[in-house]
Amino acid sequence: MANLICSTMPPMAAFTASGLLRSRSLRKPLPRVSPLSSSSNKLGSSLSSLKPLYLAPLGSFGLGSRDGPASAANLRGLSSKARAYEADRSEGIPVLDDEGRAAAAQKVKIGIYFATWWALNVVFNIYNKKVLNAFPYPWLTSTLSLAVGSLIMLLSWGARVAEVPKTDLDFWKALAPVAVAHTIGHVAATVSMSKVAVSFTHIIKSGEPAFSVLVSRFLLGERFPVPVYLSLLPIIGGCALAAVTELNFNMTGFMGAMISNLAFVFRNIFSKKGMKGKSVSGMNYYACLSMLSLLILMPFAIAVEGPQMWAAGWNKAVSQIGPHFVWWMAAQSVFYHLYNQVSYMSLDEISPLTFSIGNTMKRISVIVASIIIFQTPVQPINALGAAIAIFGTFLYSQVNLLHQFFN
């Protein structure tokens, strides 16, 4: 840091117009002062008012020393040289360019996707459980979820709110096995939640990575490094601990969650292999998947439960709950479609790792919200098992990403 002019000089006959300070060394920053000339006003206005003004030694400007007074020519050059010295020391104010603004907007967009995805999923699970508690017919509930979603997309295409996808026969052939796996996974998860607590279903469903690795290894012949297998240990151990200590354990509910895991693993495999290179993606992809799944599910739902059981169950639910039950049924169907639609839309915007982390956080939010709202009794050892399983899922996503990156 420069030192302020402090050493005294021999008395001068008169001060010049610049008000030169009596000093030998001129290195200490002075407070902000007005520009020395009218021409400096233009440049001085662009400099930060928070920066101190620095002056180089007067001798370097020839402004006077022990050898004699400054010349008029040197005085005329003072302001420009002092300003140049200040400009060299001033830091520019960072301004976002177009690329920076685009990156910031993308981060905001992803944040909105995640918040919407989690919120919609929590709301769906709450209303879905309310419906299943009053109307224990998971096959019809699953069918209505797909039917309402399909209707929403048909209306969106008709009103030109969403672009109509361009599909052909090959697209629907490739989508068929994906839709079969999606249908099985959807129904199995709904059956599970009709028998056990929402939190327990999602704890078991956090074990999906273990199924993914096992299926890929033994059916597809894919090999994984040792860290990937090790990351499965907390997943399997946590799920087992949560299942053993579950107060309201039900085998049908447990098997439903396990079957859902397996079905969704095959859905992802079929989608990755069969849909590669297809132009339909995101929102429209899920819309087509819902419509085809609905056609597959309807005959099975009628065969397993049937209209007579549905009518009796509906009348009983309405008599016990009242008109609110109709709202519950509509809400769970709408929110099921919306949360899945947002999740598929987010896949087009983020990396698989970010999506995996978001999915883990989503599951945590659903578990916590359902325990609070439904006042589900949880033992400490049960909560520990859930935490271990979810942590294992997060750990697997990190290790698996590194495996894919280096391969």
Side-chain angles (χ1 to χ4, degrees):
M1 186 67 70
N3 297 319
L4 182 65
I5 306 172
C6 58
S7 57
T8 59
M9 295 177 58
M12 299 177 63
F15 273 82
T16 62
S18 61
L20 296 175
L21 298 177
R22 302 172 180 178
S23 172
R24 168 180 288 179
S25 86
L26 302 170
R27 288 294 182 186
K28 186 172 181 181
L30 297 174
R32 188 72 178 173
V33 298
S34 300
L36 300 176
S37 66
S38 60
S39 62
S40 65
N41 288 333
K42 298 178 182 179
L43 182 58
S45 63
S46 65
L47 298 176
S48 171
S49 62
L50 300 178
K51 293 293 180 181
L53 177 63
Y54 292 90
L55 293 177
L58 290 177
S60 66
F61 290 138
L63 295 180
S65 64
R66 296 185 184 274
D67 299 328
S71 66
N74 288 333
L75 288 175
R76 285 194 298 270
L78 170 63
S79 62
S80 62
K81 292 181 181 178
R83 286 197 308 273
Y85 188 55
E86 179 190 45
D88 289 342
R89 296 296 191 271
S90 299
E91 298 178 1
I93 301 175
V95 179
L96 288 177
D97 55 8
D98 292 340
E99 184 177 350
R101 292 192 190 96
Q106 180 69 8
K107 291 180 179 178
V108 173
K109 184 178 181 181
I110 293 173
I112 294 174
Y113 270 137
F114 271 13
T116 307
W117 178 23
W118 296 343
L120 292 173
N121 193 267
V122 169
V123 174
F124 158 71
N125 278 277
I126 292 171
Y127 278 112
N128 189 47
K129 186 60 178 176
K130 284 177 172 287
V131 167
L132 292 171
N133 285 341
F135 185 77
Y137 298 96
W139 288 80
L140 177 60
T141 304
S142 302
T143 303
L144 291 177
S145 299
L146 295 173
V148 170
S150 300
L151 178 60
I152 290 174
M153 289 309 302
L154 288 174
L155 294 176
S156 299
W157 291 338
R160 294 295 187 267
V161 175
E163 183 181 357
V164 180
K166 297 178 181 180
T167 62
D168 52 21
L169 184 59
D170 291 336
F171 170 81
W172 293 103
K173 286 181 179 179
L175 188 64
V178 182
V180 170
H182 178 75
T183 303
I184 296 173
H186 175 44
V187 173
T190 309
V191 169
S192 175
M193 282 191 280
S194 70
K195 299 296 183 180
V196 296
V198 175
S199 56
F200 181 70
T201 297
H202 280 272
I203 291 171
I204 301 303
K205 282 179 66 62
S206 66
E208 184 177 326
F211 285 87
S212 178
V213 171
L214 294 176
V215 169
S216 299
R217 175 66 185 90
F218 293 106
L219 296 184
L220 303 179
E222 185 176 351
R223 295 185 177 275
F224 298 90
V226 174
V228 172
Y229 294 109
L230 293 178
S231 69
L232 300 181
L233 295 179
I235 298 177
I236 298 172
C239 289
L241 183 60
V244 170
T245 58
E246 174 65 24
L247 295 176
N248 299 313
F249 180 82
N250 180 279
M251 183 57 71
T252 302
F254 174 75
M255 292 305 299
M258 296 287 280
I259 293 172
S260 177
N261 282 338
L262 186 62
F264 284 144
V265 166
F266 279 104
R267 179 192 65 178
N268 295 337
I269 292 174
F270 293 149
S271 180
K272 186 182 297 184
K273 290 183 174 295
M275 303 307 297
K276 187 176 182 180
K278 304 298 181 183
S279 58
V280 181
S281 61
M283 178 173 59
N284 282 337
Y285 176 80
Y286 179 70
C288 296
L289 181 62
S290 295
M291 294 175 187
L292 191 53
S293 295
L294 176 62
L295 296 178
I296 296 171
L297 178 58
M298 283 182 64
F300 289 97
I302 294 173
V304 174
E305 294 174 347
Q308 292 183 349
M309 294 178 64
W310 295 338
W314 184 275
N315 293 331
K316 182 180 178 180
V318 172
S319 63
Q320 292 179 346
I321 307 300
H324 291 295
F325 173 74
V326 179
W327 159 248
W328 292 356
M329 183 67 79
Q332 73 91 23
S333 300
V334 171
F335 283 110
Y336 173 79
H337 173 78
L338 291 179
Y339 102 75
N340 276 288
Q341 177 177 303
V342 172
S343 69
Y344 273 83
M345 290 170 62
S346 65
L347 274 173
D348 291 341
E349 304 290 339
I350 59 180
S351 67
L353 174 62
T354 305
F355 184 85
S356 178
I357 295 174
N359 195 45
T360 302
M361 300 303 296
K362 176 210 73 175
R363 211 170 289 287
I364 294 174
S365 63
V366 171
I367 292 173
V368 173
S370 64
I371 289 175
I372 295 174
I373 292 174
F374 295 108
Q375 299 181 351
T376 307
V378 179
Q379 294 180 324
I381 191 68
N382 185 260
L384 177 62
I388 293 173
I390 293 173
F391 172 75
T393 303
F394 175 79
L395 185 63
Y396 165 82
S397 67
Q398 311 299 307
V399 175
N400 190 48
L401 177 72
L402 292 175
H403 166 62
Q404 295 176 0
F405 178 79
F406 287 108
N407 288 341

